[in-house]
Every structure is written in structure tokens, then in C-alpha cells.
């Protein structure tokens, strides 16, 4: 299995532009998580899906952030409009929906908003 | 509010000695705990886990200890190797329904040769 695949690996955009981050989870995993890594908060959970349905989006910082999972093999995290404080590394992770198992992470997208 | 806390942002240890990384949590509903290791420019990778019904789990050089009454867990690495230098994240999972993973802020471990 190729693991969790995220694209792009790096994104540099200007303030005010729309940014879309993409994730392909591991086949057969029915839980998908979006995290943001910052120095202050570590790995901060933004939103997670189970069977393509958003279960908890309480970590989404504000209305500029939105996430979708149109099918079991694809998810997007969109920021519109982007701001410099959104600069961070964004990770996608997936796991089976069962007890005592770990989540598998992608390599992340480093977002820089200038 | 940080439900999983790693109060030491960094730790330096001599090669061959023991590394002890600590983690505290506040939510008594957490039932499963994990440690991840992260190298620069890579995603976190799973290292070791422990269920709340246990107080110790060992895998080679890595041992995780859980003290439920103190809401505290620790990761011991013995002996420490330069390749262990990375950021270590503690995580907890609420198994009562949401199954989401809550992570701490991480501890940067540096093993000195």
C-alpha cells in the first residue's frame, strides 16, 4: 500500500488567495483526520470524518476553513481567503474505525502564505 | 484547552543512556494512548501504544508506562541512539464514541553521540 498521500508537498500563496490541500487515505480506512502542526499547539486536530461524514469539526479555526470528503478515497481542506497566520504544516491521517489501532499519517503539506 | 500535555519541549541525552519522555492528560475518558516519532519533513510515524487496561508495554528498546490515577504516561528509550533524535508526540484516543486522536505539543529529543 502506498500509504496516505497528500498533495501538494509545498504550497506558497499570496494572502487572500484560495488554497486547496488534498488527501488520499489508505484503502479500507474509513476514518480520516486533518491536523495542523504549529509550535504552540503541536498537532492540532481540525476535523475528522467517518465513512465520508464529518463527525467533529470543532477544531476548524474559523469559517475560512472548510473540508470535504466526497468519497472514500479523497478529501480536501480548503482555506479561502488565506492569511499569513495560516502558514503551517497540514497533515492528513487515516485509520480503521475500530479500537486499539493507530492512525497513519501522510507526509504533510507545508503551506506558506505571504 | 490542551487535553494532552507534553511539558518538556526539548530533551538532550547522551548516546547509550536512557531517554524518558513524559506526557500528562486531563480527560479521564481517554482509553488508548500512543507515541509517535516525527523526523523533519516527514509525517509522524507510530511508535508504540498502550491500552488503559495495562500499565506497561514494551517493544524492543521502547517501553511505555501508564499511570491512570495520575493521568500520566511516559516513554522510555533504552539505550538511546543518535537515530532516535526526532520530535516525539504523545496522543490519546477517546474510545467512548468519537475515536479521535488528540495529540500533545511534542518533545524534541536530541541524542548526543
Amino acid at each position: 500500500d502506498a500509504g496516505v498521500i497528500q498533495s501538494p508537498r509545498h504550497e506558497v500563496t499570496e494572502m487572500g488567495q484560495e488554497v486547496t490541500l488534498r488527501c488520499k487515505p489508505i484503502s479500507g480506512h474509513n476514518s480520516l483526520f486533518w491536523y495542523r502542526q504549529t509550535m504552540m499547539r503541536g498537532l492540532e486536530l481540525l476535523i475528522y470524518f467517518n465513512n465520508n461524514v464529518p463527525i467533529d469539526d470543532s477544531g476548524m479555526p474559523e469559517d475560512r476553513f472548510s473540508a470535504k470528503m466526497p468519497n472514500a478515497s479523497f478529501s480536501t481542506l480548503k482555506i479561502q481567503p488565506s492569511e499569513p497566520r495560516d502558514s503551517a504544516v497540514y497533515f492528513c491521517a487515516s485509520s480503521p474505525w475500530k479500537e486499539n489501532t493507530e492512525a497513519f499519517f501522510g507526509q504533510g503539506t507545508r503551506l506558506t502564505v505571504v | 484547552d490542551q487535553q494532552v500535555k507534553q511539558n518538556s519541549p526539548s530533551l538532550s541525552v547522551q548516546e547509550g543512556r536512557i531517554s524518558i519522555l513524559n506526557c500528562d492528560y486531563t480527560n479521564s475518558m481517554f482509553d488508548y494512548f500512543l507515541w509517535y516519532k516525527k523526523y523533519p519533513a516527514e509525517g509522524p510515524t507510530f511508535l508504540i501504544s498502550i491500552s488503559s487496561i495495562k500499565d506497561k508495554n514494551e517493544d524492543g528498546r521502547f517501553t511505555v508506562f501508564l499511570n491512570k490515577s495520575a493521568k500520566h504516561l511516559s516513554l522510555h528509550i533504552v539505550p538511546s541512539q543518535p537515530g532516535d533524535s526526532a520530535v516525539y508526540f504523545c496522543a490519546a484516543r477517546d474510545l467512548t464514541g468519537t475515536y479521535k486522536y488528540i495529540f500533545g505539543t511534542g518533545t524534541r529529543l536530541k541524542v548526543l553521540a
Side-chain angles (χ1 to χ4, degrees):
Chain A
D1 198 321
V4 176
I5 299 173
Q6 290 186 246
S7 64
R9 289 294 311 275
H10 301 274
E11 176 79 44
V12 181
T13 190
E14 290 187 350
M15 181 175 63
Q17 296 297 306
E18 177 180 298
V19 175
T20 299
L21 311 182
R22 297 172 175 80
C23 175
K24 176 179 168 55
I26 292 173
S27 177
H29 285 186
N30 44 13
S31 293
L32 183 139
F33 308 84
W34 282 101
Y35 288 90
R36 177 171 67 177
Q37 184 186 6
T38 62
M39 289 295 293
M40 291 298 295
R41 292 174 175 263
L43 282 169
E44 179 185 16
L45 178 64
L46 301 177
I47 185 171
Y48 85 102
F49 296 84
N50 185 50
N51 290 328
N52 313 338
V53 176
I55 302 298
D56 186 343
D57 65 354
S58 60
M60 296 286 261
E62 45 197 277
D63 292 346
R64 297 184 298 106
F65 286 69
S66 62
K68 293 182 179 179
M69 192 164 185
N71 57 61
S73 59
F74 184 64
S75 177
T76 59
L77 178 68
K78 185 180 294 186
I79 308 172
Q80 165 64 15
S82 57
E83 296 182 3
R85 60 193 168 119
D86 302 330
S87 298
V89 181
Y90 291 80
F91 288 101
C92 174
S94 70
S95 76
W97 180 262
K98 63 179 183 180
E99 296 183 4
N100 296 357
T101 187
E102 69 271 22
F104 296 80
F105 281 77
Q107 292 203 299
T109 295
R110 178 173 293 278
L111 173 65
T112 303
V113 184
V114 298
Chain B
D1 189 26
Q2 202 78 20
Q3 296 187 67
V4 178
K5 301 177 184 178
Q6 294 177 257
N7 293 318
S8 298
S10 64
L11 174 69
S12 291
V13 173
Q14 207 67 35
E15 181 181 5
R17 305 297 289 269
I18 184 171
S19 295
I20 300 176
L21 294 92
N22 294 303
C23 178
D24 297 294
Y25 62 95
T26 58
N27 189 340
S28 58
M29 302 308 291
F30 288 151
D31 217 22
Y32 187 61
F33 304 88
L34 311 91
W35 284 95
Y36 280 77
K37 181 167 70 173
K38 184 186 179 302
Y39 292 120
E42 295 183 10
T45 56
F46 170 73
L47 189 58
I48 192 170
S49 63
I50 188 166
S51 166
S52 61
I53 61 173
K54 296 184 177 181
D55 55 18
K56 177 182 174 181
N57 187 28
E58 192 172 351
D59 183 2
R61 296 185 298 114
F62 302 91
T63 303
V64 56
F65 295 91
L66 175 63
N67 183 334
K68 281 198 75 176
S69 61
K71 294 191 180 68
H72 176 83
L73 64 156
S74 61
L75 174 68
H76 292 209
I77 307 173
V78 182
S80 301
Q81 300 174 352
D84 297 329
S85 297
V87 177
Y88 289 78
F89 288 98
C90 169
R93 197 178 196 193
D94 177 355
L95 295 181
T96 59
T98 61
Y99 282 14
K100 61 185 179 183
Y101 301 87
I102 304 298
F103 283 79
T105 50
T107 297
R108 182 177 301 276
L109 173 66
K110 189 171 185 179
V111 180
L112 307 170

